[in-house]
Amino acid sequence: MAKTVWAFPIFLALLYPGGALGKREPGGCEKYEHVRPNLLLEEDTHIHGRLTDEKDKPLKDFRVEIRKYVSEKKQILFKAATSDENGVYDLGRIFAGQYRMLPSPTRAFKQPGKLECHGDECDLDIVLHASEGEEAESACPVK
């Protein structure tokens, strides 16, 4: 019986190399997530909006990034902005193309799936949902 108790934590350590709370090896981050573009712009678009949490509380001082999507392993920072005390951000004009928009600077919140903008003006209000089992500080970068 004692061997089973000791074997289980070893099994978990092998299954989750960095632990169960988001502390993963930097080189092993890619195997945990598949990065896809979450914003397709068909024309140059002015993007702005508001960040809130699930309780409609504004998220202030959040770094909002938009990255040009090149591949699953490569995205290039295009623009960034910081939300104000009301959660309002403004990224300015973004060229047509495929992007990865990251409204949360940490893994404490889930990054949004598909975001939609149509036309040359986009008021993109985003509600961020808390991540389960992830820590704000993680060995894996936010993608």
Side-chain angles (χ1 to χ4, degrees):
M1 188 69 141
K3 288 183 183 178
T4 304
V5 172
W6 288 104
F8 188 68
I10 292 169
F11 171 74
L12 284 177
L14 292 172
L15 189 61
Y16 301 102
L21 297 176
K23 294 181 181 177
R24 299 184 183 119
E25 297 293 322
C29 297
E30 290 79 20
K31 68 182 177 182
Y32 292 102
E33 64 184 326
H34 299 283
V35 178
R36 305 273 189 258
N38 61 1
L39 180 61
L40 172 64
L41 299 178
E42 295 178 357
E43 61 184 284
D44 295 358
T45 306
H46 177 209
I47 298 178
H48 52 89
R50 186 170 182 252
L51 298 178
T52 58
D53 66 12
E54 297 164 292
K55 296 178 182 174
D56 200 35
K57 179 182 171 195
L59 299 172
K60 76 176 207 169
D61 297 326
F62 268 50
R63 179 178 166 91
V64 180
E65 292 185 0
I66 189 155
R67 299 176 182 177
K68 181 75 174 161
Y69 185 86
V70 178
S71 71
E72 187 172 329
K73 293 185 179 186
K74 184 176 182 181
Q75 302 87 48
I76 302 167
L77 179 63
F78 184 74
K79 277 192 179 176
T82 303
S83 61
D84 68 12
E85 64 276 353
N86 297 311
V88 175
Y89 68 92
D90 190 336
L91 287 165
R93 185 150 306 278
I94 308 298
F95 302 122
Q98 286 188 324
Y99 294 93
R100 179 88 177 144
M101 186 170 177
L102 303 171
S104 174
T106 72
R107 290 186 171 273
F109 291 96
K110 295 177 191 173
Q111 298 299 336
K114 187 177 180 182
L115 299 167
E116 297 207 14
C117 283
H118 304 285
D120 65 351
E121 195 70 31
C122 183
D123 188 11
L124 196 54
D125 293 342
I126 300 172
V127 178
L128 292 176
H129 300 273
S131 293
E132 293 181 28
E134 290 281 356
E135 296 179 350
E137 297 300 320
S138 172
C140 294
V142 174
K143 292 186 173 188

